[in-house]
Amino acid sequence: MRFILNADDLGHRPEVDAAIRLGLREGWLTSVSLMATGPTFEDAVSILREHPEVSVGVHLDLSEHRPLTSVLRLRPWLRDGRFGPACRGASVAELPDVTHEWGAQVQRVVDAGLRPDHLDSHQHLHYQPVLLRALLRVGRRFGVRGVRGKAVARPDVSWARDRIQGLRAAAFRVRLRVGGARTTTGFGSARLLRRLIADNRLSEGIFEVMVHPGEPALVDEVAWLQ
């Protein structure tokens, strides 16, 4: 099995950017997800220009920073002009505005001279059916086929719930293929990866490991991966 270590949240804040830059320089990170709405977006782009070999994804946002468009139907989701948690209940009526906003986020990354090759979302919002439809539309528009899948298991849960998660991940992979996208064989956090290794549950394919450099609570996970 091959592994992709992808750092989420580039452009989110300075300490995260600094930790990702270090990982890129050390060579253990070769893939990142960039937040087009992030307050340190320009600095993040400068980091990526130092590493043209890095795989760049767009970390689509509807739950943290300021939108890039007027998003008329999405205004109830905003608090002081920023996205909040209300988007977790997206409806079909909001699909056009979500697609417009996410398209603007990808366009900002492209306009910065970068060529994204995968899409994922902040707090995994694209797992919602309506938001997945928006993501797939944006991906087709920009020719970006790579999309993050669901975690193939769950750490520290019962055997039944663990297997149910695996079935959900498999069903999501099918949904992505039907929508013209592609994804990895497996996906999960470093914590989950450690459990899968201990249980000897990894086989052939490609596994994306979600990494959050610069997050104090996850220092041990990053150290283990290094």
Side-chain angles (χ1 to χ4, degrees), residues 67-128:
L68 301 183
T69 64
S70 60
V71 290
L72 295 177
R73 291 186 182 88
L74 308 187
R75 284 182 180 173
W77 299 2
L78 304 180
R79 297 293 181 272
D80 298 324
R82 299 164 62 98
F83 283 122
C87 61
R88 295 191 177 278
S91 67
V92 174
E94 293 155 338
L95 177 60
D97 273 12
V98 171
T99 304
H100 182 52
E101 170 62 25
W102 276 359
Q105 292 180 23
V106 177
Q107 187 65 58
R108 189 181 188 195
V109 173
V110 172
D111 289 344
L114 302 172
R115 298 181 62 182
D117 59 18
H118 62 277
L119 302 175
D120 51 45
S121 60
H122 196 46
Q123 300 175 353
H124 306 306
L125 292 179
H126 72 286
Y127 293 166
Q128 288 186 44

Short mmCIF file of all heavy atoms in Angstrom, two decimals, residues 67-128:
data_model
loop_
_atom_site.label_atom_id
_atom_site.label_comp_id
_atom_site.label_asym_id
_atom_site.label_seq_id
_atom_site.Cartn_x
_atom_site.Cartn_y
_atom_site.Cartn_z
N PRO A 67 -17.02 34.42 2.96
CA PRO A 67 -17.24 33.93 1.60
C PRO A 67 -16.59 34.86 0.57
O PRO A 67 -16.34 36.03 0.84
CB PRO A 67 -18.76 33.93 1.47
CG PRO A 67 -19.23 34.96 2.44
CD PRO A 67 -18.27 34.89 3.60
N LEU A 68 -16.37 34.32 -0.62
CA LEU A 68 -15.79 35.10 -1.71
C LEU A 68 -16.86 35.68 -2.62
O LEU A 68 -16.56 36.50 -3.49
CB LEU A 68 -14.85 34.22 -2.54
CG LEU A 68 -13.67 33.58 -1.79
CD1 LEU A 68 -12.79 32.81 -2.77
CD2 LEU A 68 -12.86 34.62 -1.03
N THR A 69 -18.13 35.26 -2.44
CA THR A 69 -19.23 35.73 -3.27
C THR A 69 -20.33 36.30 -2.38
O THR A 69 -20.27 36.21 -1.15
CB THR A 69 -19.80 34.58 -4.12
OG1 THR A 69 -20.36 33.58 -3.24
CG2 THR A 69 -18.71 33.93 -4.97
N SER A 70 -21.37 36.83 -3.02
CA SER A 70 -22.46 37.43 -2.24
C SER A 70 -23.37 36.38 -1.60
O SER A 70 -24.05 36.67 -0.62
CB SER A 70 -23.31 38.34 -3.14
OG SER A 70 -23.86 37.58 -4.21
N VAL A 71 -23.38 35.17 -2.16
CA VAL A 71 -24.12 34.02 -1.61
C VAL A 71 -25.46 34.43 -0.96
O VAL A 71 -25.67 34.24 0.22
CB VAL A 71 -23.26 33.22 -0.61
CG1 VAL A 71 -22.16 32.48 -1.32
CG2 VAL A 71 -22.66 34.12 0.48
N LEU A 72 -26.38 34.92 -1.78
CA LEU A 72 -27.64 35.45 -1.25
C LEU A 72 -28.39 34.44 -0.40
O LEU A 72 -28.85 34.76 0.70
CB LEU A 72 -28.52 35.92 -2.42
CG LEU A 72 -27.97 37.12 -3.22
CD1 LEU A 72 -28.90 37.42 -4.38
CD2 LEU A 72 -27.82 38.33 -2.32
N ARG A 73 -28.55 33.21 -0.90
CA ARG A 73 -29.30 32.22 -0.13
C ARG A 73 -28.53 31.73 1.09
O ARG A 73 -29.10 31.10 1.97
CB ARG A 73 -29.65 31.02 -1.02
CG ARG A 73 -30.67 31.31 -2.11
CD ARG A 73 -31.06 30.04 -2.84
NE ARG A 73 -32.01 30.27 -3.92
CZ ARG A 73 -31.66 30.58 -5.17
NH1 ARG A 73 -30.38 30.69 -5.47
NH2 ARG A 73 -32.57 30.78 -6.10
N LEU A 74 -27.23 32.00 1.12
CA LEU A 74 -26.42 31.51 2.23
C LEU A 74 -26.23 32.54 3.33
O LEU A 74 -25.58 32.26 4.33
CB LEU A 74 -25.03 31.07 1.71
CG LEU A 74 -25.03 30.09 0.52
CD1 LEU A 74 -23.61 29.62 0.24
CD2 LEU A 74 -25.96 28.91 0.77
N ARG A 75 -26.80 33.71 3.18
CA ARG A 75 -26.61 34.76 4.19
C ARG A 75 -27.07 34.35 5.58
O ARG A 75 -26.48 34.76 6.58
CB ARG A 75 -27.30 36.05 3.74
CG ARG A 75 -26.51 36.77 2.66
CD ARG A 75 -27.15 38.07 2.23
NE ARG A 75 -26.36 38.73 1.21
CZ ARG A 75 -26.74 39.82 0.54
NH1 ARG A 75 -27.94 40.36 0.81
NH2 ARG A 75 -25.98 40.36 -0.38
N PRO A 76 -28.15 33.55 5.72
CA PRO A 76 -28.52 33.11 7.07
C PRO A 76 -27.43 32.27 7.74
O PRO A 76 -27.46 32.10 8.97
CB PRO A 76 -29.79 32.27 6.83
CG PRO A 76 -30.37 32.80 5.58
CD PRO A 76 -29.18 33.15 4.73
N TRP A 77 -26.49 31.74 6.97
CA TRP A 77 -25.40 30.94 7.55
C TRP A 77 -24.31 31.83 8.15
O TRP A 77 -23.44 31.33 8.87
CB TRP A 77 -24.76 30.07 6.47
CG TRP A 77 -25.67 29.08 5.83
CD1 TRP A 77 -27.00 28.90 6.06
CD2 TRP A 77 -25.31 28.13 4.83
NE1 TRP A 77 -27.49 27.89 5.26
CE2 TRP A 77 -26.48 27.41 4.50
CE3 TRP A 77 -24.11 27.82 4.19
CZ2 TRP A 77 -26.48 26.39 3.55
CZ3 TRP A 77 -24.11 26.81 3.25
CH2 TRP A 77 -25.28 26.10 2.93
N LEU A 78 -24.32 33.12 7.81
CA LEU A 78 -23.21 33.99 8.19
C LEU A 78 -23.42 34.59 9.57
O LEU A 78 -24.53 34.91 9.98
CB LEU A 78 -23.05 35.11 7.17
CG LEU A 78 -22.84 34.69 5.70
CD1 LEU A 78 -22.68 35.92 4.82
CD2 LEU A 78 -21.65 33.76 5.56
N ARG A 79 -22.31 34.76 10.27
CA ARG A 79 -22.27 35.46 11.55
C ARG A 79 -21.16 36.49 11.48
O ARG A 79 -19.99 36.13 11.33
CB ARG A 79 -22.02 34.49 12.71
CG ARG A 79 -23.10 33.43 12.90
CD ARG A 79 -24.41 34.05 13.36
NE ARG A 79 -25.46 33.03 13.58
CZ ARG A 79 -26.27 32.60 12.63
NH1 ARG A 79 -26.19 33.09 11.41
NH2 ARG A 79 -27.19 31.68 12.89
N ASP A 80 -21.55 37.79 11.52
CA ASP A 80 -20.57 38.87 11.36
C ASP A 80 -19.79 38.72 10.05
O ASP A 80 -18.58 38.99 9.99
CB ASP A 80 -19.60 38.90 12.54
CG ASP A 80 -20.30 39.17 13.87
OD1 ASP A 80 -21.26 39.96 13.87
OD2 ASP A 80 -19.89 38.58 14.89
N GLY A 81 -20.50 38.29 9.02
CA GLY A 81 -19.89 38.18 7.70
C GLY A 81 -19.08 36.93 7.46
O GLY A 81 -18.50 36.75 6.39
N ARG A 82 -19.03 36.02 8.44
CA ARG A 82 -18.25 34.80 8.31
C ARG A 82 -19.18 33.59 8.34
O ARG A 82 -20.25 33.63 8.94
CB ARG A 82 -17.24 34.68 9.47
CG ARG A 82 -16.23 35.80 9.53
CD ARG A 82 -15.54 35.83 10.89
NE ARG A 82 -14.80 34.60 11.12
CZ ARG A 82 -13.49 34.48 10.92
NH1 ARG A 82 -12.80 35.51 10.46
NH2 ARG A 82 -12.88 33.35 11.17
N PHE A 83 -18.73 32.51 7.70
CA PHE A 83 -19.49 31.28 7.74
C PHE A 83 -19.53 30.73 9.16
O PHE A 83 -18.59 30.87 9.93
CB PHE A 83 -18.88 30.23 6.83
CG PHE A 83 -19.16 30.44 5.37
CD1 PHE A 83 -18.13 30.58 4.46
CD2 PHE A 83 -20.47 30.49 4.90
CE1 PHE A 83 -18.39 30.75 3.11
CE2 PHE A 83 -20.74 30.67 3.55
CZ PHE A 83 -19.69 30.80 2.65
N GLY A 84 -20.66 30.06 9.48
CA GLY A 84 -20.80 29.39 10.76
C GLY A 84 -21.29 27.97 10.55
O GLY A 84 -21.28 27.47 9.43
N PRO A 85 -21.77 27.32 11.58
CA PRO A 85 -22.16 25.91 11.48
C PRO A 85 -23.50 25.65 10.80
O PRO A 85 -23.86 24.51 10.59
CB PRO A 85 -22.22 25.46 12.95
CG PRO A 85 -22.55 26.72 13.70
CD PRO A 85 -21.84 27.82 12.96
N ALA A 86 -24.24 26.70 10.42
CA ALA A 86 -25.58 26.50 9.88
C ALA A 86 -25.59 25.72 8.58
O ALA A 86 -26.60 25.12 8.20
CB ALA A 86 -26.27 27.86 9.68
N CYS A 87 -24.49 25.70 7.86
CA CYS A 87 -24.45 25.05 6.56
C CYS A 87 -24.61 23.54 6.65
O CYS A 87 -24.77 22.86 5.64
CB CYS A 87 -23.14 25.37 5.84
SG CYS A 87 -21.69 24.79 6.74
N ARG A 88 -24.58 22.97 7.82
CA ARG A 88 -24.69 21.52 7.94
C ARG A 88 -26.07 21.02 7.51
O ARG A 88 -26.28 19.82 7.39
CB ARG A 88 -24.38 21.09 9.37
CG ARG A 88 -22.93 21.37 9.75
CD ARG A 88 -22.53 20.73 11.05
NE ARG A 88 -21.13 20.98 11.33
CZ ARG A 88 -20.11 20.29 10.82
NH1 ARG A 88 -20.36 19.30 9.98
NH2 ARG A 88 -18.87 20.57 11.13
N GLY A 89 -27.01 21.92 7.27
CA GLY A 89 -28.33 21.51 6.80
C GLY A 89 -28.64 22.01 5.41
O GLY A 89 -29.76 22.42 5.15
N ALA A 90 -27.68 21.98 4.49
CA ALA A 90 -27.87 22.53 3.14
C ALA A 90 -29.01 21.83 2.41
O ALA A 90 -29.18 20.62 2.49
CB ALA A 90 -26.58 22.40 2.35
N SER A 91 -29.81 22.63 1.68
CA SER A 91 -30.94 22.10 0.91
C SER A 91 -30.67 22.26 -0.58
O SER A 91 -29.75 22.97 -1.00
CB SER A 91 -32.21 22.85 1.30
OG SER A 91 -32.13 24.20 0.86
N VAL A 92 -31.52 21.63 -1.39
CA VAL A 92 -31.38 21.73 -2.84
C VAL A 92 -31.52 23.18 -3.30
O VAL A 92 -30.87 23.61 -4.25
CB VAL A 92 -32.43 20.83 -3.53
CG1 VAL A 92 -32.40 21.04 -5.04
CG2 VAL A 92 -32.17 19.37 -3.20
N ALA A 93 -32.35 23.97 -2.62
CA ALA A 93 -32.54 25.37 -3.00
C ALA A 93 -31.24 26.16 -2.87
O ALA A 93 -31.04 27.16 -3.57
CB ALA A 93 -33.63 26.00 -2.12
N GLU A 94 -30.37 25.72 -1.97
CA GLU A 94 -29.11 26.43 -1.75
C GLU A 94 -27.98 25.92 -2.64
O GLU A 94 -26.89 26.47 -2.64
CB GLU A 94 -28.72 26.31 -0.28
CG GLU A 94 -29.68 27.04 0.64
CD GLU A 94 -29.70 26.47 2.06
OE1 GLU A 94 -29.32 25.29 2.25
OE2 GLU A 94 -30.11 27.21 2.98
N LEU A 95 -28.25 24.85 -3.41
CA LEU A 95 -27.23 24.25 -4.24
C LEU A 95 -26.58 25.23 -5.22
O LEU A 95 -25.34 25.25 -5.34
CB LEU A 95 -27.81 23.05 -4.98
CG LEU A 95 -26.90 22.32 -5.97
CD1 LEU A 95 -25.66 21.77 -5.28
CD2 LEU A 95 -27.67 21.19 -6.66
N PRO A 96 -27.34 26.08 -5.94
CA PRO A 96 -26.69 27.01 -6.88
C PRO A 96 -25.70 27.96 -6.22
O PRO A 96 -24.62 28.21 -6.75
CB PRO A 96 -27.88 27.77 -7.50
CG PRO A 96 -29.04 26.85 -7.35
CD PRO A 96 -28.81 26.15 -6.03
N ASP A 97 -26.08 28.50 -5.05
CA ASP A 97 -25.18 29.43 -4.38
C ASP A 97 -23.96 28.73 -3.81
O ASP A 97 -22.86 29.29 -3.81
CB ASP A 97 -25.92 30.17 -3.26
CG ASP A 97 -26.62 31.42 -3.78
OD1 ASP A 97 -26.71 31.58 -5.02
OD2 ASP A 97 -27.06 32.25 -2.96
N VAL A 98 -24.14 27.50 -3.31
CA VAL A 98 -22.98 26.74 -2.83
C VAL A 98 -22.03 26.46 -3.98
O VAL A 98 -20.81 26.64 -3.87
CB VAL A 98 -23.42 25.42 -2.17
CG1 VAL A 98 -22.21 24.54 -1.87
CG2 VAL A 98 -24.20 25.69 -0.89
N THR A 99 -22.58 26.05 -5.12
CA THR A 99 -21.76 25.78 -6.30
C THR A 99 -21.03 27.03 -6.74
O THR A 99 -19.83 26.99 -7.10
CB THR A 99 -22.64 25.25 -7.45
OG1 THR A 99 -23.35 24.08 -7.00
CG2 THR A 99 -21.79 24.89 -8.65
N HIS A 100 -21.71 28.16 -6.71
CA HIS A 100 -21.10 29.45 -7.10
C HIS A 100 -19.96 29.81 -6.15
O HIS A 100 -18.86 30.20 -6.59
CB HIS A 100 -22.18 30.53 -7.09
CG HIS A 100 -21.70 31.88 -7.52
ND1 HIS A 100 -21.00 32.09 -8.69
CD2 HIS A 100 -21.81 33.10 -6.92
CE1 HIS A 100 -20.70 33.38 -8.80
NE2 HIS A 100 -21.17 34.01 -7.74
N GLU A 101 -20.19 29.67 -4.86
CA GLU A 101 -19.17 30.01 -3.88
C GLU A 101 -17.97 29.08 -3.98
O GLU A 101 -16.82 29.54 -4.00
CB GLU A 101 -19.76 29.96 -2.46
CG GLU A 101 -18.75 30.07 -1.33
CD GLU A 101 -17.97 31.37 -1.30
OE1 GLU A 101 -18.48 32.39 -1.82
OE2 GLU A 101 -16.85 31.39 -0.76
N TRP A 102 -18.21 27.79 -4.06
CA TRP A 102 -17.09 26.85 -4.15
C TRP A 102 -16.34 27.02 -5.47
O TRP A 102 -15.12 26.87 -5.52
CB TRP A 102 -17.59 25.42 -3.96
CG TRP A 102 -17.70 25.06 -2.50
CD1 TRP A 102 -17.39 25.86 -1.44
CD2 TRP A 102 -18.14 23.82 -1.95
NE1 TRP A 102 -17.61 25.20 -0.26
CE2 TRP A 102 -18.07 23.95 -0.54
CE3 TRP A 102 -18.61 22.64 -2.50
CZ2 TRP A 102 -18.43 22.91 0.33
CZ3 TRP A 102 -18.97 21.60 -1.65
CH2 TRP A 102 -18.88 21.74 -0.25
N GLY A 103 -17.08 27.36 -6.54
CA GLY A 103 -16.41 27.64 -7.80
C GLY A 103 -15.48 28.84 -7.69
O GLY A 103 -14.36 28.84 -8.23
N ALA A 104 -15.91 29.87 -6.95
CA ALA A 104 -15.08 31.05 -6.75
C ALA A 104 -13.83 30.71 -5.93
O ALA A 104 -12.74 31.26 -6.16
CB ALA A 104 -15.89 32.14 -6.04
N GLN A 105 -13.98 29.79 -4.98
CA GLN A 105 -12.82 29.39 -4.18
C GLN A 105 -11.78 28.67 -5.03
O GLN A 105 -10.58 28.93 -4.92
CB GLN A 105 -13.28 28.54 -3.00
CG GLN A 105 -14.10 29.32 -1.98
CD GLN A 105 -14.57 28.48 -0.81
OE1 GLN A 105 -13.98 27.44 -0.48
NE2 GLN A 105 -15.64 28.92 -0.15
N VAL A 106 -12.24 27.75 -5.88
CA VAL A 106 -11.29 27.07 -6.77
C VAL A 106 -10.69 28.07 -7.76
O VAL A 106 -9.49 28.02 -8.05
CB VAL A 106 -11.98 25.91 -7.52
CG1 VAL A 106 -11.02 25.26 -8.51
CG2 VAL A 106 -12.50 24.87 -6.53
N GLN A 107 -11.51 28.97 -8.27
CA GLN A 107 -11.01 29.96 -9.22
C GLN A 107 -9.92 30.82 -8.61
O GLN A 107 -8.93 31.17 -9.29
CB GLN A 107 -12.16 30.85 -9.69
CG GLN A 107 -11.78 31.81 -10.83
CD GLN A 107 -11.43 31.08 -12.10
OE1 GLN A 107 -12.24 30.32 -12.63
NE2 GLN A 107 -10.21 31.29 -12.60
N ARG A 108 -10.03 31.16 -7.34
CA ARG A 108 -9.00 31.97 -6.70
C ARG A 108 -7.67 31.22 -6.65
O ARG A 108 -6.60 31.81 -6.83
CB ARG A 108 -9.43 32.36 -5.28
CG ARG A 108 -8.48 33.39 -4.66
CD ARG A 108 -8.85 33.77 -3.24
NE ARG A 108 -8.02 34.89 -2.81
CZ ARG A 108 -7.88 35.29 -1.55
NH1 ARG A 108 -8.57 34.66 -0.58
NH2 ARG A 108 -7.09 36.30 -1.24
N VAL A 109 -7.74 29.94 -6.40
CA VAL A 109 -6.52 29.13 -6.38
C VAL A 109 -5.92 29.07 -7.78
O VAL A 109 -4.70 29.22 -7.95
CB VAL A 109 -6.83 27.71 -5.86
CG1 VAL A 109 -5.62 26.80 -6.00
CG2 VAL A 109 -7.28 27.78 -4.40
N VAL A 110 -6.74 28.87 -8.79
CA VAL A 110 -6.26 28.83 -10.18
C VAL A 110 -5.67 30.18 -10.58
O VAL A 110 -4.61 30.25 -11.23
CB VAL A 110 -7.41 28.43 -11.12
CG1 VAL A 110 -6.99 28.58 -12.59
CG2 VAL A 110 -7.85 26.99 -10.84
N ASP A 111 -6.34 31.27 -10.21
CA ASP A 111 -5.86 32.61 -10.55
C ASP A 111 -4.52 32.92 -9.90
O ASP A 111 -3.77 33.79 -10.38
CB ASP A 111 -6.88 33.66 -10.15
CG ASP A 111 -8.13 33.64 -11.02
OD1 ASP A 111 -8.09 33.01 -12.10
OD2 ASP A 111 -9.16 34.23 -10.61
N ALA A 112 -4.21 32.23 -8.81
CA ALA A 112 -2.92 32.42 -8.14
C ALA A 112 -1.79 31.66 -8.84
O ALA A 112 -0.64 31.70 -8.38
CB ALA A 112 -3.02 31.96 -6.69
N GLY A 113 -2.13 31.00 -9.96
CA GLY A 113 -1.12 30.29 -10.72
C GLY A 113 -0.91 28.85 -10.30
O GLY A 113 0.06 28.21 -10.74
N LEU A 114 -1.82 28.32 -9.49
CA LEU A 114 -1.71 26.94 -9.02
C LEU A 114 -2.64 26.04 -9.81
O LEU A 114 -3.65 26.50 -10.35
CB LEU A 114 -2.04 26.87 -7.53
CG LEU A 114 -1.17 27.74 -6.61
CD1 LEU A 114 -1.72 27.74 -5.20
CD2 LEU A 114 0.28 27.27 -6.63
N ARG A 115 -2.31 24.76 -9.86
CA ARG A 115 -3.13 23.80 -10.60
C ARG A 115 -3.62 22.72 -9.64
O ARG A 115 -2.94 21.72 -9.41
CB ARG A 115 -2.31 23.17 -11.72
CG ARG A 115 -1.84 24.18 -12.77
CD ARG A 115 -1.05 23.50 -13.86
NE ARG A 115 -1.86 22.53 -14.59
CZ ARG A 115 -1.39 21.78 -15.57
NH1 ARG A 115 -0.12 21.86 -15.94
NH2 ARG A 115 -2.19 20.91 -16.19
N PRO A 116 -4.79 22.92 -9.05
CA PRO A 116 -5.29 21.94 -8.08
C PRO A 116 -5.60 20.60 -8.76
O PRO A 116 -6.10 20.57 -9.89
CB PRO A 116 -6.56 22.59 -7.53
CG PRO A 116 -6.98 23.57 -8.58
CD PRO A 116 -5.72 24.05 -9.24
N ASP A 117 -5.32 19.51 -8.05
CA ASP A 117 -5.62 18.18 -8.58
C ASP A 117 -6.55 17.39 -7.69
O ASP A 117 -6.86 16.24 -7.99
CB ASP A 117 -4.34 17.39 -8.85
CG ASP A 117 -3.48 17.19 -7.60
OD1 ASP A 117 -3.99 17.35 -6.47
OD2 ASP A 117 -2.29 16.87 -7.76
N HIS A 118 -7.00 17.98 -6.57
CA HIS A 118 -7.97 17.29 -5.74
C HIS A 118 -8.79 18.30 -4.94
O HIS A 118 -8.36 19.45 -4.75
CB HIS A 118 -7.32 16.27 -4.80
CG HIS A 118 -6.36 16.84 -3.81
ND1 HIS A 118 -5.04 17.14 -4.10
CD2 HIS A 118 -6.52 17.18 -2.51
CE1 HIS A 118 -4.44 17.62 -3.03
NE2 HIS A 118 -5.33 17.66 -2.05
N LEU A 119 -9.96 17.86 -4.52
CA LEU A 119 -10.86 18.68 -3.72
C LEU A 119 -11.23 17.93 -2.45
O LEU A 119 -11.43 16.73 -2.46
CB LEU A 119 -12.15 19.00 -4.50
CG LEU A 119 -12.02 19.71 -5.84
CD1 LEU A 119 -13.39 19.81 -6.51
CD2 LEU A 119 -11.40 21.09 -5.67
N ASP A 120 -11.30 18.67 -1.35
CA ASP A 120 -11.90 18.16 -0.12
C ASP A 120 -12.59 19.34 0.55
O ASP A 120 -12.72 20.40 -0.07
CB ASP A 120 -10.86 17.48 0.79
CG ASP A 120 -9.63 18.35 1.04
OD1 ASP A 120 -9.81 19.55 1.33
OD2 ASP A 120 -8.50 17.83 0.96
N SER A 121 -13.06 19.19 1.76
CA SER A 121 -13.81 20.29 2.37
C SER A 121 -13.49 20.40 3.85
O SER A 121 -13.21 19.41 4.52
CB SER A 121 -15.32 20.11 2.17
OG SER A 121 -15.77 18.91 2.76
N HIS A 122 -13.52 21.64 4.33
CA HIS A 122 -13.30 21.93 5.74
C HIS A 122 -14.40 21.26 6.56
O HIS A 122 -15.59 21.44 6.28
CB HIS A 122 -13.30 23.44 5.95
CG HIS A 122 -12.73 23.88 7.25
ND1 HIS A 122 -11.54 23.41 7.76
CD2 HIS A 122 -13.18 24.78 8.16
CE1 HIS A 122 -11.28 23.99 8.91
NE2 HIS A 122 -12.27 24.82 9.19
N GLN A 123 -14.00 20.46 7.53
CA GLN A 123 -14.93 19.72 8.40
C GLN A 123 -15.76 18.71 7.61
O GLN A 123 -16.86 18.33 8.03
CB GLN A 123 -15.81 20.70 9.18
CG GLN A 123 -14.99 21.63 10.07
CD GLN A 123 -15.82 22.69 10.76
OE1 GLN A 123 -17.01 22.85 10.51
NE2 GLN A 123 -15.19 23.43 11.66
N HIS A 124 -15.25 18.27 6.47
CA HIS A 124 -15.85 17.19 5.67
C HIS A 124 -17.29 17.49 5.26
O HIS A 124 -18.13 16.58 5.18
CB HIS A 124 -15.81 15.86 6.43
CG HIS A 124 -14.44 15.49 6.92
ND1 HIS A 124 -13.35 15.41 6.08
CD2 HIS A 124 -14.00 15.17 8.16
CE1 HIS A 124 -12.27 15.05 6.78
NE2 HIS A 124 -12.64 14.91 8.04
N LEU A 125 -17.59 18.73 4.95
CA LEU A 125 -18.97 19.08 4.61
C LEU A 125 -19.44 18.40 3.32
O LEU A 125 -20.65 18.22 3.12
CB LEU A 125 -19.11 20.60 4.47
CG LEU A 125 -18.95 21.40 5.78
CD1 LEU A 125 -19.09 22.88 5.51
CD2 LEU A 125 -19.98 20.96 6.81
N HIS A 126 -18.52 18.02 2.45
CA HIS A 126 -18.95 17.41 1.18
C HIS A 126 -19.51 16.00 1.36
O HIS A 126 -19.99 15.40 0.40
CB HIS A 126 -17.81 17.40 0.16
CG HIS A 126 -16.71 16.42 0.45
ND1 HIS A 126 -15.78 16.62 1.44
CD2 HIS A 126 -16.38 15.23 -0.14
CE1 HIS A 126 -14.93 15.60 1.46
NE2 HIS A 126 -15.26 14.75 0.51
N TYR A 127 -19.50 15.49 2.59
CA TYR A 127 -20.17 14.21 2.84
C TYR A 127 -21.69 14.35 2.78
O TYR A 127 -22.40 13.37 2.63
CB TYR A 127 -19.76 13.65 4.21
CG TYR A 127 -18.31 13.23 4.30
CD1 TYR A 127 -17.71 12.97 5.54
CD2 TYR A 127 -17.51 13.09 3.17
CE1 TYR A 127 -16.39 12.58 5.64
CE2 TYR A 127 -16.18 12.71 3.26
CZ TYR A 127 -15.62 12.45 4.50
OH TYR A 127 -14.31 12.07 4.59
N GLN A 128 -22.20 15.58 2.93
CA GLN A 128 -23.63 15.82 2.77
C GLN A 128 -24.02 15.63 1.30
O GLN A 128 -23.31 16.12 0.40
CB GLN A 128 -23.99 17.25 3.17
CG GLN A 128 -23.93 17.55 4.64
CD GLN A 128 -24.46 18.94 4.91
OE1 GLN A 128 -25.47 19.35 4.36
NE2 GLN A 128 -23.77 19.67 5.74
#
